Amino acid sequence: MFLDWLLIVVYCEVKKITGRDMDYLKLAGAGAITLSAVSTATYLYLTQSPNPVPSAVDLNNQTIIIKGKDKARISKLCKDGKLLEYLDENVQTLYEAFRNGAQVSSNGACYGWKPSSKEPYKWISYNDVLNRAASIGAGLIANDQAAINSTRIGLYSQNRVEYGIVEQACYTYSMALVPLYDTLGPEACTYIVNQANISLVICDTCKKFSPCLINMRKHQTLKQLSDLEEQGEKSPQEPKPAKPDDICVVCYTSGTTGLPKGAMLTHKGTISTVCSAFVTLENGGVTLGPEDVLISYLPLAHSYERLLEVTVTMSGGRIGFFQGDVKLLMEDIKELSPTLFPSVPRLLNRFYDKVVAGVNESAVKKMMFDMGMKSKQKELQKNVIRNDSIYDKLVFKKIQQGLGGKVRLITTGSAPLSATVLEFLRCCVGCPIIEGYGQTESHALCSMQFIGDASSGNVGPPIPSNLIKLDDVCLQGPSVFVGYLNDEVKTKEVLDKDGWLHTGDIGEWLPNGTLKIIDRKKHIFKLAQGEYIAPEKIENIYVRSTLVAQIFVHGDSLKASLVAVCVPDPDVLPSYAKSNFNITGSIEELVKNPVCISSYIKERVVDYIHLNR
C-alpha cells in the first residue's frame, strides 16, 4: 500500500512538471502502476536539471591576498580593491536607511505584533513609525534630553514595536541608544547607567529596572511612554539627524569577568556592514525587498539581531515580533511565515535533534529520509539549493512547514555550528543556510559564507567592508568600532595604532580562501600532563545534546583532568526521571537525586557525545 501511494505521488508530480498526462503510465489495478512506467516517471522527475546557485566568485578561491598588509585578505566582491562603505550616497546613516525602507516599500507594513495569543498579527506602517518616533524624540527633548550625539538614552526592553520606534527617535535627533538587558544584573546595569551618563531609561516594565534604582543616587521620576509621546506631539521639533561618524548605539558586552565594556558603534560602521551583507547575498541570487518577513526573537540588545533588523528595514521588509514567550515561538513562526529566519546553534541543534528523533520512530520514515538526504547532498555538491524536489514534497515538506513554509534564508552566528547539523539543515530545509562570524566590536559581522558554497567548518571570506589578517584574527576597515566608551585602556588592548581590531580568536585560512575559527586565544590552556585544551570546542559538542541546557568546562594546569558544570534541560529531565526511575519532583529536587543524575550524565549525556563526536 505504501509503495502504491508513493508511485501515485510520483506520477502526480511528473504531471505537474510536464503539464500533461502520460499515456504510457497504465494503471494495473486498484491504484497500482507498472514498474517500468514508474521507472520512467521517476527518471523524468529526478533528472530534471535544477540550476546551480549563480556566483561571480570562484568558490574554490574566495579571497585576495593584499601585498604589504601582513598577508591580509580582502573579499573578491570589493571593487578595485576598495573596502565598501555604502551602496547609495543618500543612505549613509540609520536615519536615512529607515526612510529608504519606507520609500521602497511605498509606506508598507513595518512592525508587527500580536495583541494577544488568540489574535492575529497587527501591523504598523513605516510612516506611522516615523511619525511616532518624531513625537517621542520631541518628548525626550522636552524632558531635558539634548538633540546631540553625547546624549545617551537607556532602553531596557524585550523585542517589541516600541523598541524600534524609540530607536528611530534617537536617530532622528542624533542621540545614542544604550541597550540594557536582564543577564547583566542590577549591579552591572547601575554601573552602565553611571558610566554612560544615562539620565533617562525607557523600560517595558518598571519592575525590570527597579533593582537598579535602589543603587542610583540620581533624581528619579517615572513617566508613561504615551505621556512622553503626547508631550512631543504638543511641542514638535525639527529633526536633527545623526551623521555617518556619529555613535548610534553603545553596546555593552557582558564578558566573562570584570565590568561590562561599552562598544561604541557608529552609523557608518553599521551601514557598511549591512551593505556588505547585501552584496554577499546578491552574489548568490538572494535580493531582499518589501516581500520579506523577519521573525524577531533574538535579543535586540545584542548587535547580531540589530544588524539583521537594519538589513530588513533598509530593504523595506517587515519585522514580526514574537510574543515574548519562547514556548510560543513555533506558533508565532507558523502564523508569521517568515522568509528570513535568524538563529543560533543552540536552537538549530534542538531543531535537528527533534527531527532526527521523529525520523527514527519508523523504519519506513528513516528509509525515505535517508534517500532524500543522499539525493539532496549530491545536489549541494553541485551548488544546487532547492525545495521543490520530489523528496521535498514527500519527505521534507513537514519540516519546512514547521518554519512557516516560506523561509528562503537562514542565518546562524554567535557560536560554531557543527558540520553535521549544517549539512542536514541545508538538505531538509531547502534554502540557503549561511554561517557568519563577528563580534560586537565589528558591528556583529566580519566574515560570511557565500550562498552555494557547500563546504562547512568555516565562516566564509571577509565581507567587503573589512580586511582580515591572522596574528590572532585581526580586522581593519569601516565596519570596525571606534573604541570603548570612557575606557582608553581597554580600547588600546584591542585596537592597535594602525586601526587593527584584535578579536582574540585564533583562525586559519582554508585552501578555498575561507576563514576557520579554531578557538579563543585566551581559552586555550595546558593540563598537568602537557595536553592543550580548547574548552569551548568541548562545550559546543556537549551542548548539542537535548539533555543539556548549558555547560561550562574548566581546567587547571596543575591538574591532569577537566571538570564540567552541567545544567540539565528543565524540559527534558523531569520526563526522563519519571519514565526511567518513576522519580518526580522539581528541578531542584531532581538534580540532588544521585540515582537520577548519575544515570542522566553517564548513560545519556556521555553516550550521546560518544556517538556524535
Side-chain angles (χ1 to χ4, degrees), residues 18 81 107 160 176 192 207 267-268 288 304 332 378 385 395 404 406 411 417 435 468 493 540 559:
T18 61
N107 187 32
R160 57 189 299 155
I192 290 170
K207 186 184 293 185
H267 289 263
K268 178 181 179 179
L288 305 184
Y304 176 31
D332 294 339
K378 289 178 181 178
I385 302 173
V395 181
K406 295 183 179 179
T411 62
L417 183 65
E435 195 167 6
I468 297 181
E493 288 179 4
N540 288 332
K559 305 292 183 182

Side-chain angles (χ1 to χ4, degrees), residues 56 76 157 179 184 191 200 225 375 396 409 413 418 425 427 487 508 522 531 598 610:
K76 284 194 168 182
S157 170
L184 287 168
Y191 168 78
L200 186 146
L225 185 65
S375 175
F396 303 129
L409 178 67
S418 77
L425 292 171
C427 290
D487 198 334
E508 67 173 316
K522 292 180 180 178
E531 181 182 4
S598 63
H610 283 282

